[in-house]
Amino acid sequence: MAAENCSDGGQDPNPCYLQKFRLYETRSNFYMVGRDKGGTLCRILKIDRLDPSELTVLQDSTTYPEIECYDLLRRIHEGNRSTGGLKFVTACYGIIGFVKFLGPHYMLLITKRRKIGAICGHTIYAISKTQMITIGSSPVQSNMAYSKNEKRYKKLLCSVDLTKDFFFSYSYNVMHSLQRNLCKNETGLLNYETMFVWNEFLTRGIRNNLKNTLWTVALVYGFFKQVKLSVSGRDVKLTLIARRSRHYAGTRYLKRGVNEKGRVANDVETEQIVFEDVPEGCPTQISSVVQNRGSIPLFWSQETSRLNLKPDIILSKKDPTYEATKLHFENLARRYGNPIIILNLIKRCEKKPRETILRSEFANAIRYINKSLAKENRLRFLHWDINRHSRKATNVLELLGRVADYALNLTGIFYCQVTPICRPEGLLDLTCVLQNDEHFAQIPCDKSDDGEKLEIDVGSDNQSSTENVKLPMFQTGVLRTNCIDCLDRTNVAQYAYGLMALGRQLHAMGFTESQTIDQSSPLAEDLMGVYEKMGDTLALQYGGSAAHNKIFCQRRGQWQAATQSQELFRTLQRYYSNAYMDAEKQSAINLFLGHFQPQQGKPALWELDSDQHYSVGRHGPNLLNEDARASIKRSMSDGNILCGTDSPMSASNVRQESENRGEAISESTHEMPAYGISYSRFTPRMSCRQLFGEIEDQFLGSNRICYENGGECNCTNFDMDWLSSSGNSCDDDVYDRSAAGLSSENIGAELKTGMTTSPSESGSNIKVGERSASEVTCNGLMDEYSESFVNWVTHGDLLIPVKFTCQ
């Protein structure tokens, strides 16, 4: 996939991509011939077959014309005529990787591919067919290759269906966001180290041996869909990409929460790309926006049960200072920049506490972490129980759109004008960005892996500059959404964010005058369909069934009885998958990712304990102390955990100042360059009063707000449901009183007056030197609002309404 110089393996202004391959064999070797897209240049790879225990791969450094390559193959055939000569095996489109169980090595190949889209002229492919080839020749194969365990490992690996939801590109780094690709022209080995390349382990051997990635493809797992839309009589292409992290990857009940390295389960980056549908080679406008979903970053789990559709949630007390949670958010900040905005959609009220236990502890964790952060870097935390308002889909989407608007005001979107392919087979980078001012010849990027400041010289070619070229905009920060599974409720919230972002993207491109899109418009319906497909795909991967799309069905006016029967079927399908299928599916994932590597004399993968009970890392499973597991007992009281002492302990009582912070995650960082320039963000379109007007009227002047900067109270967040600090109170009277002024109906009514702006207010033509979003938001508000509320909106500080007055 990487760009390599076809003569010496180094970088070259006109890089070579091998895209078509033919595999031949002799008794002692495999020979793979790789050709570029035009079929004019060839390279040869030799794989030794005589030593089944070691993988020996040699690359011919010479680049051959096609005629010379065939002449070389003829001579190899003549030299091996006595042992059968050179035989053709298969045509293929890249190496997925190599794997070894208990016998010989196996090579995984892509034998059929299909085009699923293109980004600025760079084709994206999915896999249609694969083939596993044994490296060892027949006479030297061990009998172990045909043993029961060897066959079972092969079957288990093949159960990972590479023809579903895996995609790749030869010339575009699809594992990175568009903004990162344009700002960092990365090629080769580093791309495989990122968190979204699922065959990193399988390709590690050949990459380390050859020091290049000419022969392999980097597979991304998740979702890719590209559709054509018509906006104001002009055609645009919308691409929705979901990239699933390979770290702490697995199935619903076997991968929950966070591990010691700060990696969370069901961690998915979603990118929405919009660009003009213009003839190839013509300048185009392109925009993207990124959001994130992931499991609640605490140590918690649920035991799979064949008798219980909703297993109890087990919250561990193993991390009282929230080190793993802190590592997770530090990693998000390095990948996307600040601010990090967290939208927590889990329930606020349950007869038997389950989700509310995590809700309270998550709030405590954010409060604790924010103590050590500068005001401008504090986590901005919003609670909203979406289930309480899900009876009316329109109201739910309106309020979620309001949250999305707030988030986009803070983070902005990415936008630029580019020439799709600046050089033959070249990568997209900032040399493709059209500039109109020497002031932008150098754009500061975030730090590199070694801590050095990066600067990208994009030049200032006056010949290509025009007065109509718009300034680029950059996204800094990200919205992170979660519910319990990060599937159904989260997908609705991500659609609302995507719809709000699409309005801004089209406005930045000059296609619309308004930054908002009406929910009943055909454009919104088309986008909903794409997000619904993405939700179903991600839900099948993690949960075992398609997503629960009740809100989408209501929005389309689907017959209620049909919706209910569909939801029931998917509930049963998910239950069956979780109870009976997930253990084997998790084992296959662990084998594919290299988390488990079979060894002679060691227990087989299927003989180990449930995957839920150990943390999977790069070097294999680390079993938890059994005594520690046994000491964690569930309590039926409100949010209490019975620990080894058998004394009730509220999750909020165990707090200590951390003396030693864990090392930050070294991998998977810098996913999106963060920018500090003033034109990188939109000017906010909603003031504090517009965004939370009714909230201020009801609560900010009363004694029900609890806010302190010191250690006395320091409450945790902004709660859109007005929950109590414990999160477990189910007093209906209290809920009814608090919800009366914050009902979906009232919020929806206020949206009609608070969401309309003129193009001049939208910030699409922001000049250098204008105030930042936080400055505009809080200018002149200190007299109108309480200081605590202004601090929360500006700095992500801590704010929560409670049912009592803090002393």
Side-chain angles (χ1 to χ4, degrees), residues 346-373:
I346 62 178
K347 295 177 182 177
R348 65 165 292 275
C349 176
E350 296 171 299
K351 293 181 180 179
K352 177 181 177 181
R354 293 177 63 258
E355 295 187 14
T356 48
I357 296 174
L358 294 178
R359 184 186 182 102
S360 175
E361 188 69 0
F362 196 12
N364 289 333
I366 299 301
R367 172 203 299 160
Y368 187 90
I369 292 170
N370 272 348
K371 285 182 180 180
S372 62
L373 297 177

PDB file of all heavy atoms in Angstrom, residues 346-373:
ATOM      1  N   ILE A 346     -26.597   7.460  28.965  1.00  0.00           N
ATOM      2  CA  ILE A 346     -27.151   6.344  29.744  1.00  0.00           C
ATOM      3  C   ILE A 346     -28.255   6.827  30.680  1.00  0.00           C
ATOM      4  O   ILE A 346     -28.443   8.013  30.905  1.00  0.00           O
ATOM      5  CB  ILE A 346     -26.052   5.602  30.521  1.00  0.00           C
ATOM      6  CG1 ILE A 346     -25.371   6.522  31.532  1.00  0.00           C
ATOM      7  CG2 ILE A 346     -25.032   5.030  29.563  1.00  0.00           C
ATOM      8  CD1 ILE A 346     -24.315   5.811  32.360  1.00  0.00           C
ATOM      9  N   LYS A 347     -28.980   5.883  31.267  1.00  0.00           N
ATOM     10  CA  LYS A 347     -30.184   6.184  32.042  1.00  0.00           C
ATOM     11  C   LYS A 347     -29.856   6.902  33.344  1.00  0.00           C
ATOM     12  O   LYS A 347     -28.822   6.653  33.958  1.00  0.00           O
ATOM     13  CB  LYS A 347     -30.944   4.890  32.350  1.00  0.00           C
ATOM     14  CG  LYS A 347     -31.506   4.196  31.115  1.00  0.00           C
ATOM     15  CD  LYS A 347     -32.181   2.898  31.481  1.00  0.00           C
ATOM     16  CE  LYS A 347     -32.715   2.178  30.237  1.00  0.00           C
ATOM     17  NZ  LYS A 347     -33.318   0.870  30.573  1.00  0.00           N
ATOM     18  N   ARG A 348     -30.792   7.756  33.780  1.00  0.00           N
ATOM     19  CA  ARG A 348     -30.655   8.476  35.034  1.00  0.00           C
ATOM     20  C   ARG A 348     -31.469   7.837  36.151  1.00  0.00           C
ATOM     21  O   ARG A 348     -31.322   8.175  37.317  1.00  0.00           O
ATOM     22  CB  ARG A 348     -31.134   9.927  34.891  1.00  0.00           C
ATOM     23  CG  ARG A 348     -32.626  10.043  34.594  1.00  0.00           C
ATOM     24  CD  ARG A 348     -33.156  11.453  34.823  1.00  0.00           C
ATOM     25  NE  ARG A 348     -33.132  11.806  36.215  1.00  0.00           N
ATOM     26  CZ  ARG A 348     -34.106  11.505  37.080  1.00  0.00           C
ATOM     27  NH1 ARG A 348     -35.151  10.802  36.672  1.00  0.00           N
ATOM     28  NH2 ARG A 348     -34.023  11.897  38.326  1.00  0.00           N
ATOM     29  N   CYS A 349     -32.370   6.928  35.798  1.00  0.00           N
ATOM     30  CA  CYS A 349     -33.299   6.411  36.795  1.00  0.00           C
ATOM     31  C   CYS A 349     -33.685   4.980  36.443  1.00  0.00           C
ATOM     32  O   CYS A 349     -34.114   4.705  35.332  1.00  0.00           O
ATOM     33  CB  CYS A 349     -34.545   7.304  36.843  1.00  0.00           C
ATOM     34  SG  CYS A 349     -35.838   6.721  37.951  1.00  0.00           S
ATOM     35  N   GLU A 350     -33.501   4.064  37.388  1.00  0.00           N
ATOM     36  CA  GLU A 350     -33.844   2.650  37.192  1.00  0.00           C
ATOM     37  C   GLU A 350     -34.387   2.084  38.498  1.00  0.00           C
ATOM     38  O   GLU A 350     -33.939   2.473  39.586  1.00  0.00           O
ATOM     39  CB  GLU A 350     -32.608   1.845  36.766  1.00  0.00           C
ATOM     40  CG  GLU A 350     -32.021   2.248  35.434  1.00  0.00           C
ATOM     41  CD  GLU A 350     -30.677   1.555  35.185  1.00  0.00           C
ATOM     42  OE1 GLU A 350     -29.742   1.777  35.982  1.00  0.00           O
ATOM     43  OE2 GLU A 350     -30.582   0.806  34.208  1.00  0.00           O
ATOM     44  N   LYS A 351     -35.323   1.167  38.394  1.00  0.00           N
ATOM     45  CA  LYS A 351     -35.826   0.501  39.597  1.00  0.00           C
ATOM     46  C   LYS A 351     -34.725  -0.323  40.254  1.00  0.00           C
ATOM     47  O   LYS A 351     -34.582  -0.317  41.472  1.00  0.00           O
ATOM     48  CB  LYS A 351     -37.023  -0.391  39.231  1.00  0.00           C
ATOM     49  CG  LYS A 351     -38.256   0.385  38.779  1.00  0.00           C
ATOM     50  CD  LYS A 351     -39.412  -0.550  38.450  1.00  0.00           C
ATOM     51  CE  LYS A 351     -40.637   0.239  38.006  1.00  0.00           C
ATOM     52  NZ  LYS A 351     -41.781  -0.660  37.652  1.00  0.00           N
ATOM     53  N   LYS A 352     -33.957  -1.038  39.449  1.00  0.00           N
ATOM     54  CA  LYS A 352     -32.799  -1.769  39.943  1.00  0.00           C
ATOM     55  C   LYS A 352     -31.554  -1.127  39.332  1.00  0.00           C
ATOM     56  O   LYS A 352     -31.374  -1.171  38.118  1.00  0.00           O
ATOM     57  CB  LYS A 352     -32.876  -3.234  39.537  1.00  0.00           C
ATOM     58  CG  LYS A 352     -31.668  -4.049  39.959  1.00  0.00           C
ATOM     59  CD  LYS A 352     -31.791  -5.500  39.492  1.00  0.00           C
ATOM     60  CE  LYS A 352     -30.550  -6.292  39.854  1.00  0.00           C
ATOM     61  NZ  LYS A 352     -30.635  -7.696  39.390  1.00  0.00           N
ATOM     62  N   PRO A 353     -30.699  -0.512  40.131  1.00  0.00           N
ATOM     63  CA  PRO A 353     -29.564   0.234  39.573  1.00  0.00           C
ATOM     64  C   PRO A 353     -28.655  -0.638  38.712  1.00  0.00           C
ATOM     65  O   PRO A 353     -28.141  -1.659  39.168  1.00  0.00           O
ATOM     66  CB  PRO A 353     -28.818   0.733  40.818  1.00  0.00           C
ATOM     67  CG  PRO A 353     -29.841   0.736  41.896  1.00  0.00           C
ATOM     68  CD  PRO A 353     -30.755  -0.420  41.596  1.00  0.00           C
ATOM     69  N   ARG A 354     -28.475  -0.240  37.465  1.00  0.00           N
ATOM     70  CA  ARG A 354     -27.517  -0.877  36.569  1.00  0.00           C
ATOM     71  C   ARG A 354     -26.701   0.226  35.885  1.00  0.00           C
ATOM     72  O   ARG A 354     -25.581   0.495  36.281  1.00  0.00           O
ATOM     73  CB  ARG A 354     -28.233  -1.738  35.515  1.00  0.00           C
ATOM     74  CG  ARG A 354     -28.948  -2.948  36.061  1.00  0.00           C
ATOM     75  CD  ARG A 354     -29.704  -3.727  34.987  1.00  0.00           C
ATOM     76  NE  ARG A 354     -28.834  -4.270  33.970  1.00  0.00           N
ATOM     77  CZ  ARG A 354     -28.677  -3.744  32.756  1.00  0.00           C
ATOM     78  NH1 ARG A 354     -29.333  -2.655  32.409  1.00  0.00           N
ATOM     79  NH2 ARG A 354     -27.868  -4.309  31.882  1.00  0.00           N
ATOM     80  N   GLU A 355     -27.320   0.873  34.908  1.00  0.00           N
ATOM     81  CA  GLU A 355     -26.620   1.947  34.208  1.00  0.00           C
ATOM     82  C   GLU A 355     -26.316   3.114  35.144  1.00  0.00           C
ATOM     83  O   GLU A 355     -25.296   3.797  34.989  1.00  0.00           O
ATOM     84  CB  GLU A 355     -27.458   2.434  33.020  1.00  0.00           C
ATOM     85  CG  GLU A 355     -27.649   1.402  31.934  1.00  0.00           C
ATOM     86  CD  GLU A 355     -28.340   1.974  30.697  1.00  0.00           C
ATOM     87  OE1 GLU A 355     -28.423   3.212  30.585  1.00  0.00           O
ATOM     88  OE2 GLU A 355     -28.775   1.190  29.840  1.00  0.00           O
ATOM     89  N   THR A 356     -27.203   3.352  36.107  1.00  0.00           N
ATOM     90  CA  THR A 356     -27.013   4.491  36.993  1.00  0.00           C
ATOM     91  C   THR A 356     -25.764   4.359  37.847  1.00  0.00           C
ATOM     92  O   THR A 356     -25.197   5.365  38.286  1.00  0.00           O
ATOM     93  CB  THR A 356     -28.245   4.668  37.894  1.00  0.00           C
ATOM     94  OG1 THR A 356     -28.587   3.395  38.463  1.00  0.00           O
ATOM     95  CG2 THR A 356     -29.418   5.194  37.108  1.00  0.00           C
ATOM     96  N   ILE A 357     -25.326   3.131  38.107  1.00  0.00           N
ATOM     97  CA  ILE A 357     -24.074   2.932  38.846  1.00  0.00           C
ATOM     98  C   ILE A 357     -22.911   3.521  38.054  1.00  0.00           C
ATOM     99  O   ILE A 357     -22.065   4.224  38.594  1.00  0.00           O
ATOM    100  CB  ILE A 357     -23.845   1.432  39.108  1.00  0.00           C
ATOM    101  CG1 ILE A 357     -24.940   0.864  40.016  1.00  0.00           C
ATOM    102  CG2 ILE A 357     -22.471   1.194  39.737  1.00  0.00           C
ATOM    103  CD1 ILE A 357     -24.863  -0.639  40.199  1.00  0.00           C
ATOM    104  N   LEU A 358     -22.888   3.237  36.749  1.00  0.00           N
ATOM    105  CA  LEU A 358     -21.816   3.765  35.902  1.00  0.00           C
ATOM    106  C   LEU A 358     -21.964   5.264  35.706  1.00  0.00           C
ATOM    107  O   LEU A 358     -20.966   5.984  35.611  1.00  0.00           O
ATOM    108  CB  LEU A 358     -21.833   3.055  34.549  1.00  0.00           C
ATOM    109  CG  LEU A 358     -21.503   1.566  34.566  1.00  0.00           C
ATOM    110  CD1 LEU A 358     -21.603   0.990  33.153  1.00  0.00           C
ATOM    111  CD2 LEU A 358     -20.114   1.326  35.127  1.00  0.00           C
ATOM    112  N   ARG A 359     -23.188   5.727  35.631  1.00  0.00           N
ATOM    113  CA  ARG A 359     -23.424   7.164  35.429  1.00  0.00           C
ATOM    114  C   ARG A 359     -22.799   7.969  36.560  1.00  0.00           C
ATOM    115  O   ARG A 359     -22.097   8.957  36.340  1.00  0.00           O
ATOM    116  CB  ARG A 359     -24.931   7.419  35.353  1.00  0.00           C
ATOM    117  CG  ARG A 359     -25.326   8.856  35.043  1.00  0.00           C
ATOM    118  CD  ARG A 359     -26.841   8.993  35.136  1.00  0.00           C
ATOM    119  NE  ARG A 359     -27.259  10.341  34.790  1.00  0.00           N
ATOM    120  CZ  ARG A 359     -27.780  10.702  33.624  1.00  0.00           C
ATOM    121  NH1 ARG A 359     -27.907   9.808  32.674  1.00  0.00           N
ATOM    122  NH2 ARG A 359     -28.154  11.939  33.404  1.00  0.00           N
ATOM    123  N   SER A 360     -23.035   7.537  37.786  1.00  0.00           N
ATOM    124  CA  SER A 360     -22.488   8.234  38.941  1.00  0.00           C
ATOM    125  C   SER A 360     -20.966   8.152  38.971  1.00  0.00           C
ATOM    126  O   SER A 360     -20.281   9.155  39.202  1.00  0.00           O
ATOM    127  CB  SER A 360     -23.079   7.630  40.221  1.00  0.00           C
ATOM    128  OG  SER A 360     -22.487   8.194  41.363  1.00  0.00           O
ATOM    129  N   GLU A 361     -20.421   6.967  38.718  1.00  0.00           N
ATOM    130  CA  GLU A 361     -18.969   6.799  38.779  1.00  0.00           C
ATOM    131  C   GLU A 361     -18.263   7.532  37.641  1.00  0.00           C
ATOM    132  O   GLU A 361     -17.166   8.082  37.819  1.00  0.00           O
ATOM    133  CB  GLU A 361     -18.619   5.306  38.727  1.00  0.00           C
ATOM    134  CG  GLU A 361     -17.148   4.993  38.964  1.00  0.00           C
ATOM    135  CD  GLU A 361     -16.695   5.251  40.384  1.00  0.00           C
ATOM    136  OE1 GLU A 361     -17.521   5.681  41.213  1.00  0.00           O
ATOM    137  OE2 GLU A 361     -15.502   5.035  40.666  1.00  0.00           O
ATOM    138  N   PHE A 362     -18.866   7.564  36.457  1.00  0.00           N
ATOM    139  CA  PHE A 362     -18.290   8.299  35.331  1.00  0.00           C
ATOM    140  C   PHE A 362     -18.215   9.792  35.667  1.00  0.00           C
ATOM    141  O   PHE A 362     -17.220  10.465  35.385  1.00  0.00           O
ATOM    142  CB  PHE A 362     -19.141   8.061  34.081  1.00  0.00           C
ATOM    143  CG  PHE A 362     -18.465   8.434  32.779  1.00  0.00           C
ATOM    144  CD1 PHE A 362     -17.113   8.706  32.713  1.00  0.00           C
ATOM    145  CD2 PHE A 362     -19.200   8.505  31.596  1.00  0.00           C
ATOM    146  CE1 PHE A 362     -16.498   9.039  31.513  1.00  0.00           C
ATOM    147  CE2 PHE A 362     -18.611   8.832  30.392  1.00  0.00           C
ATOM    148  CZ  PHE A 362     -17.247   9.110  30.367  1.00  0.00           C
ATOM    149  N   ALA A 363     -19.280  10.309  36.285  1.00  0.00           N
ATOM    150  CA  ALA A 363     -19.264  11.711  36.688  1.00  0.00           C
ATOM    151  C   ALA A 363     -18.166  11.975  37.705  1.00  0.00           C
ATOM    152  O   ALA A 363     -17.467  12.991  37.638  1.00  0.00           O
ATOM    153  CB  ALA A 363     -20.631  12.097  37.258  1.00  0.00           C
ATOM    154  N   ASN A 364     -17.996  11.062  38.653  1.00  0.00           N
ATOM    155  CA  ASN A 364     -16.927  11.212  39.646  1.00  0.00           C
ATOM    156  C   ASN A 364     -15.555  11.209  38.982  1.00  0.00           C
ATOM    157  O   ASN A 364     -14.648  11.951  39.382  1.00  0.00           O
ATOM    158  CB  ASN A 364     -17.007  10.086  40.674  1.00  0.00           C
ATOM    159  CG  ASN A 364     -18.205  10.220  41.591  1.00  0.00           C
ATOM    160  OD1 ASN A 364     -18.699  11.314  41.822  1.00  0.00           O
ATOM    161  ND2 ASN A 364     -18.689   9.105  42.100  1.00  0.00           N
ATOM    162  N   ALA A 365     -15.384  10.354  37.983  1.00  0.00           N
ATOM    163  CA  ALA A 365     -14.092  10.259  37.291  1.00  0.00           C
ATOM    164  C   ALA A 365     -13.772  11.564  36.569  1.00  0.00           C
ATOM    165  O   ALA A 365     -12.638  12.053  36.632  1.00  0.00           O
ATOM    166  CB  ALA A 365     -14.114   9.091  36.304  1.00  0.00           C
ATOM    167  N   ILE A 366     -14.756  12.136  35.879  1.00  0.00           N
ATOM    168  CA  ILE A 366     -14.521  13.395  35.169  1.00  0.00           C
ATOM    169  C   ILE A 366     -14.189  14.502  36.157  1.00  0.00           C
ATOM    170  O   ILE A 366     -13.283  15.319  35.935  1.00  0.00           O
ATOM    171  CB  ILE A 366     -15.756  13.774  34.321  1.00  0.00           C
ATOM    172  CG1 ILE A 366     -16.043  12.686  33.274  1.00  0.00           C
ATOM    173  CG2 ILE A 366     -15.539  15.123  33.645  1.00  0.00           C
ATOM    174  CD1 ILE A 366     -14.908  12.428  32.323  1.00  0.00           C
ATOM    175  N   ARG A 367     -14.907  14.537  37.279  1.00  0.00           N
ATOM    176  CA  ARG A 367     -14.623  15.536  38.300  1.00  0.00           C
ATOM    177  C   ARG A 367     -13.187  15.405  38.793  1.00  0.00           C
ATOM    178  O   ARG A 367     -12.465  16.402  38.912  1.00  0.00           O
ATOM    179  CB  ARG A 367     -15.585  15.350  39.467  1.00  0.00           C
ATOM    180  CG  ARG A 367     -15.253  16.231  40.687  1.00  0.00           C
ATOM    181  CD  ARG A 367     -15.838  15.650  41.959  1.00  0.00           C
ATOM    182  NE  ARG A 367     -17.288  15.563  41.894  1.00  0.00           N
ATOM    183  CZ  ARG A 367     -18.009  14.757  42.683  1.00  0.00           C
ATOM    184  NH1 ARG A 367     -17.396  13.966  43.541  1.00  0.00           N
ATOM    185  NH2 ARG A 367     -19.310  14.724  42.602  1.00  0.00           N
ATOM    186  N   TYR A 368     -12.778  14.178  39.052  1.00  0.00           N
ATOM    187  CA  TYR A 368     -11.434  13.951  39.588  1.00  0.00           C
ATOM    188  C   TYR A 368     -10.358  14.337  38.569  1.00  0.00           C
ATOM    189  O   TYR A 368      -9.362  14.986  38.903  1.00  0.00           O
ATOM    190  CB  TYR A 368     -11.297  12.475  39.968  1.00  0.00           C
ATOM    191  CG  TYR A 368     -10.015  12.138  40.690  1.00  0.00           C
ATOM    192  CD1 TYR A 368      -9.935  12.205  42.076  1.00  0.00           C
ATOM    193  CD2 TYR A 368      -8.884  11.751  39.989  1.00  0.00           C
ATOM    194  CE1 TYR A 368      -8.769  11.900  42.742  1.00  0.00           C
ATOM    195  CE2 TYR A 368      -7.703  11.442  40.642  1.00  0.00           C
ATOM    196  CZ  TYR A 368      -7.661  11.512  42.027  1.00  0.00           C
ATOM    197  OH  TYR A 368      -6.492  11.201  42.670  1.00  0.00           O
ATOM    198  N   ILE A 369     -10.548  13.951  37.310  1.00  0.00           N
ATOM    199  CA  ILE A 369      -9.558  14.245  36.263  1.00  0.00           C
ATOM    200  C   ILE A 369      -9.459  15.738  36.006  1.00  0.00           C
ATOM    201  O   ILE A 369      -8.368  16.296  35.828  1.00  0.00           O
ATOM    202  CB  ILE A 369      -9.915  13.480  34.971  1.00  0.00           C
ATOM    203  CG1 ILE A 369      -9.736  11.972  35.180  1.00  0.00           C
ATOM    204  CG2 ILE A 369      -9.056  13.950  33.799  1.00  0.00           C
ATOM    205  CD1 ILE A 369     -10.284  11.127  34.059  1.00  0.00           C
ATOM    206  N   ASN A 370     -10.597  16.427  36.011  1.00  0.00           N
ATOM    207  CA  ASN A 370     -10.591  17.865  35.718  1.00  0.00           C
ATOM    208  C   ASN A 370      -9.850  18.682  36.768  1.00  0.00           C
ATOM    209  O   ASN A 370      -9.417  19.804  36.494  1.00  0.00           O
ATOM    210  CB  ASN A 370     -12.027  18.377  35.577  1.00  0.00           C
ATOM    211  CG  ASN A 370     -12.549  18.241  34.165  1.00  0.00           C
ATOM    212  OD1 ASN A 370     -11.800  17.967  33.224  1.00  0.00           O
ATOM    213  ND2 ASN A 370     -13.850  18.413  33.995  1.00  0.00           N
ATOM    214  N   LYS A 371      -9.700  18.140  37.974  1.00  0.00           N
ATOM    215  CA  LYS A 371      -8.951  18.849  39.014  1.00  0.00           C
ATOM    216  C   LYS A 371      -7.519  19.125  38.574  1.00  0.00           C
ATOM    217  O   LYS A 371      -6.939  20.152  38.935  1.00  0.00           O
ATOM    218  CB  LYS A 371      -8.918  18.022  40.301  1.00  0.00           C
ATOM    219  CG  LYS A 371     -10.214  18.006  41.092  1.00  0.00           C
ATOM    220  CD  LYS A 371     -10.020  17.187  42.359  1.00  0.00           C
ATOM    221  CE  LYS A 371     -11.286  17.123  43.192  1.00  0.00           C
ATOM    222  NZ  LYS A 371     -11.072  16.314  44.417  1.00  0.00           N
ATOM    223  N   SER A 372      -6.943  18.207  37.817  1.00  0.00           N
ATOM    224  CA  SER A 372      -5.535  18.322  37.445  1.00  0.00           C
ATOM    225  C   SER A 372      -5.325  18.974  36.089  1.00  0.00           C
ATOM    226  O   SER A 372      -4.193  19.084  35.627  1.00  0.00           O
ATOM    227  CB  SER A 372      -4.887  16.934  37.442  1.00  0.00           C
ATOM    228  OG  SER A 372      -5.505  16.092  36.482  1.00  0.00           O
ATOM    229  N   LEU A 373      -6.395  19.386  35.415  1.00  0.00           N
ATOM    230  CA  LEU A 373      -6.277  19.963  34.077  1.00  0.00           C
ATOM    231  C   LEU A 373      -6.418  21.478  34.120  1.00  0.00           C
ATOM    232  O   LEU A 373      -7.144  22.027  34.961  1.00  0.00           O
ATOM    233  CB  LEU A 373      -7.352  19.383  33.146  1.00  0.00           C
ATOM    234  CG  LEU A 373      -7.298  17.882  32.873  1.00  0.00           C
ATOM    235  CD1 LEU A 373      -8.469  17.480  31.992  1.00  0.00           C
ATOM    236  CD2 LEU A 373      -5.988  17.483  32.232  1.00  0.00           C
TER     237      LEU A 373
END
